[in-house]
Amino acid sequence: MIKAEEVFRIGRLGKPHGVKGEITMQVDDDVFDRVDAEFLVLRVDGILVPFYMEEYRFRTDTTALIKFEDVDTVEQARQLTNCDVFFLRRMADDNDEDLTWAFFVGFDLVEATTAHTVGRIAAVDDSTQNILFELEDGTLIPAAEELITNIDQENKQIYMALPEGLLNL
């Protein structure tokens, strides 16, 4: 059984496309295209389930069309509409240079100079040029590479040298 801490969210399925089981996917992270992946993980009725891909193609930078094995009709594809799509962390771990900001959702953010845990990263806001980590308590932290001092993937911690006073805003 796949556990929530073993995956990170990379998108959401949309409407069926055509009549042969293809479905659209809003892509937040194209890691499945950069890493040799045979399957994606979908949350179906609260359970994380692997779905093997027959093929996929990008329509735009943020939209892909995916054909999963054994999903051969519009009706079968429609049952997957609005499912969140995930990728296994261990598959992405092998390619540290390909990690994206979305990979860090679920990591604890630790202030590097004090080793104080600031909070857990709940989401990444990349809607503007200044990417932000959104912590579970709603705090926003700039996700800037120059602030990161260490990444401990095993313990799911990211150490950052935060500017003085940032946490007091």
Side-chain angles (χ1 to χ4, degrees):
M1 186 154 131
I2 300 171
K3 298 176 182 164
E5 59 270 9
E6 296 175 332
V7 297
F8 64 101
R9 187 178 180 280
I10 62 168
R12 174 169 262 198
L13 295 180
K15 297 178 183 178
H17 179 80
V19 295
K20 297 187 179 183
E22 270 191 325
I23 191 164
T24 60
M25 175 179 156
Q26 289 304 119
V27 179
D28 298 330
D29 186 326
D30 67 352
V31 66
F32 67 97
D33 190 45
R34 292 178 279 119
V35 174
D36 190 24
E38 296 179 4
F39 66 91
L40 298 175
V41 178
L42 306 182
R43 180 173 290 147
V44 179
D45 296 329
I47 299 170
L48 296 172
V49 181
F51 276 76
Y52 286 83
M53 296 181 287
E54 282 184 17
E55 62 183 8
Y56 67 88
R57 65 187 186 278
F58 284 89
R59 286 179 68 183
T60 68
D61 289 345
T62 60
T63 305
L65 295 175
I66 298 181
K67 170 67 175 78
F68 292 111
E69 288 182 9
D70 301 321
V71 177
D72 299 317
T73 66
V74 172
E75 292 78 22
Q76 290 172 323
R78 190 172 288 123
Q79 292 176 355
L80 300 176
T81 297
N82 292 325
C83 284
D84 284 326
V85 182
F86 299 87
F87 197 77
L88 288 176
R89 286 185 187 279
R90 66 179 154 78
M91 290 174 64
D93 286 350
D94 295 338
N95 287 321
D96 287 347
E97 67 275 357
D98 289 333
L99 292 181
T100 61
W101 294 117
F103 179 81
F104 297 107
V105 172
F107 274 55
D108 287 327
L109 191 145
V110 179
E111 208 295 313
T113 56
T114 64
H116 170 73
T117 299
V118 177
R120 179 158 289 145
I121 300 170
V124 175
D125 180 353
D126 60 359
S127 61
T128 66
Q129 190 171 1
N130 296 318
I131 298 169
L132 301 169
F133 287 136
E134 182 177 342
L135 304 183
E136 289 177 339
D137 67 359
T139 302
L140 298 174
I141 304 290
E145 288 183 38
E146 55 271 10
L147 297 178
I148 297 173
T149 61
N150 187 34
I151 298 170
D152 181 350
Q153 290 188 30
E154 185 175 328
N155 294 311
K156 292 181 69 176
Q157 295 176 319
I158 183 168
Y159 290 79
M160 297 182 75
L162 300 176
E164 190 173 325
L166 178 70
L167 298 176
N168 298 329
L169 295 175

